[in-house]
Amino acid sequence: MKNSIAATLPTRGYHARMRVYLREMYPPLSRLATASLACVSFLLLLGPIAGPRAVSLSACTPVGIWTLFALTLILRLMDELKDRDIDRRLFGDRPLPSGKVKESDIRFSLLLVCASLLIPNMVSGQLFLFSALLLGYAVLMYHYFFVPAAWHKYLLLNLATHNPIVPIMFIYVVVLFAVQSGIPLSALPWSTIILVVAMYWSLFMGWEIARKIRHTKEETEYITYSKIFGRTAATVIVFTVQVGAVVIGVYLYYALSLSEVFLAVVVKGGLALACGYIAFLTGRIKSGKKLRLLAEGYAVTIMLAPVWELAALPVVRHAL
């Protein structure tokens, strides 16, 4: 018991080591910007779906942003512990295997961030319950759903069991939306909301797949989707997943009578993505890392569409 506690408590130099860790593995400002965009963008899209009673942004919105930020940091910290053996073999320059940060630093930080996720959500019973559900699913992921041998071997099984935390995360944002709007969850138009959840899920799943696609010369013993399916098939698969956001976005444009600005951003994002993948398949893009950056840029573009829609509303109304 004492050894277990000692393995979690921080030691001298903890703050300096964690600053190094965050700088290299989880840059706080850029990650907070991503969490803010994901949360605010999603909330803005829920507004026209729920009708005139809806409140897209309120004093509760920062709670949602922090929850998304803290959750993704928790998943990053958990991955450090889950993947420490693989990282020692293949990524020795990372903070944990290189000794820049200690395992006790990661464990202690994990406890702090878990607490920081739950405490702000105490503003509402519904939010606290759903944030606890999010955290519970993350803990199950950390333990590989108690069948670690199977999950270590099969990348697709990992994706199928771990990636659902993304739609659960966005359903949490739906709960936040309902709380700040004072609308019962049962009164929300769930058929359309599920489409929006699927739209955002496709962005994050696409990024997860894209970051594990490489050119043949880049492959190592690390398991990638390009190893499993081949580079061409893996690229087609990830594009099919990602382009789902464009299809849903076009549907929402017609169903919700959104502006042409929204439609233009969504369609142009899809076209830019297609051009990037063609460049990757034809050899003009020669790095898997650039494919990951392409997926990130596409996700940001699509999530910006509701923000541009909000900015365009006064212009559109004036024109009318």
Side-chain angles (χ1 to χ4, degrees), residues 48-266:
I49 293 172
R53 288 179 56 197
V55 178
S56 291
L57 304 177
S58 76
C60 282
T61 304
V63 175
I65 292 171
W66 177 257
T67 299
L68 267 58
F69 173 83
L71 178 67
T72 49
L73 177 53
I74 287 167
L75 297 177
R76 177 65 262 169
L77 292 168
M78 286 179 170
D79 279 350
E80 296 295 339
L81 300 175
K82 287 162 58 181
D83 299 337
R84 55 185 178 270
D85 294 333
I86 295 172
D87 287 350
R88 285 192 193 104
R89 294 199 318 270
L90 302 177
F91 307 105
D93 58 334
R94 287 184 176 177
L96 186 56
S98 67
K100 294 176 189 174
V101 69
K102 297 181 179 180
E103 193 169 313
S104 59
D105 299 333
I106 301 295
R107 293 185 183 278
F108 183 70
S109 299
L110 199 46
L111 291 177
L112 284 181
V113 183
C114 286
S116 78
L117 183 149
L118 290 173
I119 291 170
N121 282 286
M122 289 179 178
V123 296
S124 159
Q126 281 184 317
L127 283 180
F128 182 77
L129 182 63
F130 218 86
S131 64
L133 175 63
L134 264 178
L135 194 54
Y137 197 91
V139 170
L140 288 176
M141 289 167 57
Y142 174 64
H143 290 289
Y144 286 103
F145 298 88
F146 305 104
V147 194
W151 271 262
H152 272 300
K153 286 181 181 179
Y154 303 111
L155 186 59
L156 292 175
L157 186 59
N158 251 302
L159 182 70
T161 54
H162 287 49
N163 204 254
I165 199 166
V166 175
I168 296 172
M169 179 179 75
F170 281 109
I171 291 173
Y172 160 84
V173 181
V174 176
V175 175
L176 175 77
F177 174 80
V179 167
Q180 64 188 21
S181 296
I183 302 173
L185 286 172
S186 59
L188 291 173
W190 279 100
S191 57
T192 307
I193 287 173
I194 291 301
L195 277 179
V196 179
V197 171
M199 178 181 177
Y200 280 66
W201 188 8
S202 76
L203 301 177
F204 285 81
M205 183 186 288
W207 173 82
E208 176 62 28
I209 298 172
R211 74 187 186 94
K212 294 180 181 177
I213 296 176
R214 298 177 179 174
H215 272 281
T216 306
K217 63 181 181 180
E218 296 178 301
E219 297 285 10
T220 64
E221 65 176 287
Y222 188 71
I223 301 173
T224 60
Y225 293 103
S226 44
K227 244 185 188 179
I228 296 171
F229 298 110
R231 181 166 61 93
T232 301
T235 304
V236 171
I237 289 169
V238 71
F239 178 74
T240 303
V241 169
Q242 289 171 301
V243 82
V246 176
V247 174
I248 296 172
V250 171
Y251 168 79
L252 293 174
Y253 161 74
Y254 286 106
L256 303 177
S257 300
L258 301 176
S259 75
E260 282 73 17
V261 173
F262 178 89
L263 180 65
V265 173
V266 168

Side-chain angles (χ1 to χ4, degrees), residues 238-318:
V238 71
F239 178 74
T240 303
V241 169
Q242 289 171 301
V243 82
V246 176
V247 174
I248 296 172
V250 171
Y251 168 79
L252 293 174
Y253 161 74
Y254 286 106
L256 303 177
S257 300
L258 301 176
S259 75
E260 282 73 17
V261 173
F262 178 89
L263 180 65
V265 173
V266 168
V267 172
K268 286 181 179 179
L271 290 174
L273 183 74
C275 291
Y277 281 146
I278 290 170
F280 179 73
L281 289 175
T282 56
R284 283 178 289 148
I285 292 179
K286 302 180 183 296
S287 168
K289 287 183 180 179
K290 290 186 178 179
L291 203 67
R292 184 198 72 199
L293 293 174
L294 181 67
E296 289 174 358
Y298 168 72
V300 168
T301 299
I302 298 299
M303 289 191 292
L304 278 171
V307 179
W308 283 113
E309 167 71 14
L310 179 67
L313 279 179
V315 177
V316 173
R317 285 171 181 163
H318 179 73

